[in-house]
């Protein structure tokens, strides 16, 4: 069959992917380094949260292959793929599961960070909404989940390299260019996910970040006037 080119990944999906790669790497470095970098770690966590919210919305309003309905499948489709009889485009059934797991882990990590504290220099923007005991517990989960996320990220990278180098199905180039060469006669370019959908997803993500950064919390009380508090 003759190869033809299709538009596989839209620009917002590709930007999300590579921005997430960059921010997760920075989150690992700043989180493990700590010290003066911990404030940057918090800002990066908020950015990751915004990206995840954007991708969740984009999974419903984005273009064809970015939608969850395209790659979230049932056991029968997964079995078909394992038997080598699956001929779809975009994320394969196992890749779709990997995407959902990674999104869930990133969302969990960013949410726990909102309530976390190191009892020294950092407190999450929503820490005041929970008790000290709950904040310590969420902080512990936040630290422990780092290694789970690292393991899944490594597995994701290895699977991508395996498909690209061993199976001859380059998964990296389409995530850069947006296009893929295929011999599937029924494969068609992605549709949908236009400017209105992008603005909607971006607005929802921005609103979520504003709320996560304490936008709905009452402002802190003003400091007491100078001289009203004794110096002893």
């Amino acid at each position: 069959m003759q190869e033809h080119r299709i538009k596989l990944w839209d620009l917002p999906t590709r930007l999300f992917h590579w921005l997430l790669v960059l921010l997760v790497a920075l989150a690992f470095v700043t989180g493990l380094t700590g010290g003066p970098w911990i404030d940057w770690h918090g800002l990066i966590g908020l950015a990751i949260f915004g990206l995840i919210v954007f991708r969740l919305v984009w999974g419903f309003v984005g273009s064809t292959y970015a939608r969850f309905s395209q790659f979230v499948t049932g056991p029968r489709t997964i079995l078909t793929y394992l038997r080598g009889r699956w001929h779809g485009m975009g994320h394969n059934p196992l890749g779709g599961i990997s995407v959902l797991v990674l999104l869930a882990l990133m969302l969990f990590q960013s949410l726990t960070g909102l309530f976390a504290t190191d009892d020294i220099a950092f407190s999450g923007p929503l820490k005041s909404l929970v008790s000290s005991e709950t904040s310590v517990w969420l902080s512990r989960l936040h630290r422990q989940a780092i290694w789970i996320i690292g393991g899944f990220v490594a597995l994701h990278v290895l699977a991508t390299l395996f498909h690209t180098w061993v199976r001859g199905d380059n998964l990296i180039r389409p995530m850069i260019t947006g296009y893929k060469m295929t011999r599937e006669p029924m494969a068609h370019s992605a549709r949908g996910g236009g400017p209105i959908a992008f603005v909607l997803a971006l607005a929802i993500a921005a609103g979520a970040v504003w709320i996560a950064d304490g936008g709905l919390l009452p402002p802190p009380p003003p400091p007491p006037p100078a001289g009203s508090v004794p110096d002893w």
Side-chain angles (χ1 to χ4, degrees):
M1 296 182 185
Q2 186 176 2
E3 278 193 331
H4 63 284
R5 192 177 78 155
I6 66 168
K7 181 66 177 293
L8 185 64
W9 301 121
D10 54 56
L11 181 59
T13 300
R14 286 178 282 142
L15 287 176
F16 160 80
H17 181 273
W18 296 115
L19 282 174
L20 187 63
V21 169
L22 174 63
L23 290 177
V24 167
L26 290 175
F28 265 91
V29 172
T30 55
L32 294 176
T33 303
W37 294 102
I38 199 65
D39 288 332
W40 281 102
H41 182 74
L43 293 174
I44 292 167
L46 277 173
I48 290 175
F49 175 72
L51 277 178
I52 298 302
V53 173
F54 174 87
R55 183 63 181 91
L56 291 176
V57 178
W58 198 245
F60 294 97
V61 303
S63 64
T64 305
Y65 303 109
R67 297 191 178 189
F68 295 129
S69 59
Q70 183 70 22
F71 62 84
V72 177
T73 60
R76 181 175 298 179
T77 305
I78 295 174
L79 186 59
T80 299
Y81 171 76
L82 293 175
R83 290 174 175 172
R85 300 173 186 171
W86 183 80
H87 299 286
M89 288 287 107
H91 295 300
N92 63 55
L94 290 184
I97 293 175
S98 173
V99 169
L100 293 180
V101 170
L102 284 171
L103 287 176
L105 285 172
M106 297 297 178
L107 182 61
F108 170 84
Q109 189 71 344
S110 56
L111 286 175
T112 55
L114 298 177
F115 304 92
T117 179
D118 63 359
D119 289 325
I120 302 174
F122 177 81
S123 291
L126 302 183
K127 178 184 176 295
S128 62
L129 295 178
V130 299
S131 66
S132 297
E133 293 78 10
T134 301
S135 178
V136 170
W137 175 63
L138 291 173
S139 302
R140 187 181 304 115
L141 291 178
H142 187 80
R143 289 190 295 269
Q144 293 171 346
I146 291 175
W147 309 112
I148 299 175
I149 292 174
F152 271 96
V153 168
L155 184 62
H156 180 76
V157 171
L158 289 175
T160 300
L161 295 178
F162 172 80
H163 277 271
T164 300
W165 291 346
V166 178
R167 301 191 65 174
D169 181 17
N170 195 318
L171 302 182
I172 301 173
R173 186 181 297 118
M175 193 55 76
I176 297 175
T177 66
Y179 292 92
K180 180 180 178 65
M181 300 299 296
T182 178
R183 296 181 184 273
E184 294 292 333
M186 302 300 293
H188 61 82
S189 289
R191 305 183 182 99
I196 295 178
F198 174 74
V199 171
L200 173 64
L202 195 63
I204 293 175
V209 170
W210 178 74
I211 293 173
D213 197 28
L216 295 180
L217 296 180
S228 63
V229 179
D231 293 333
W232 63 74

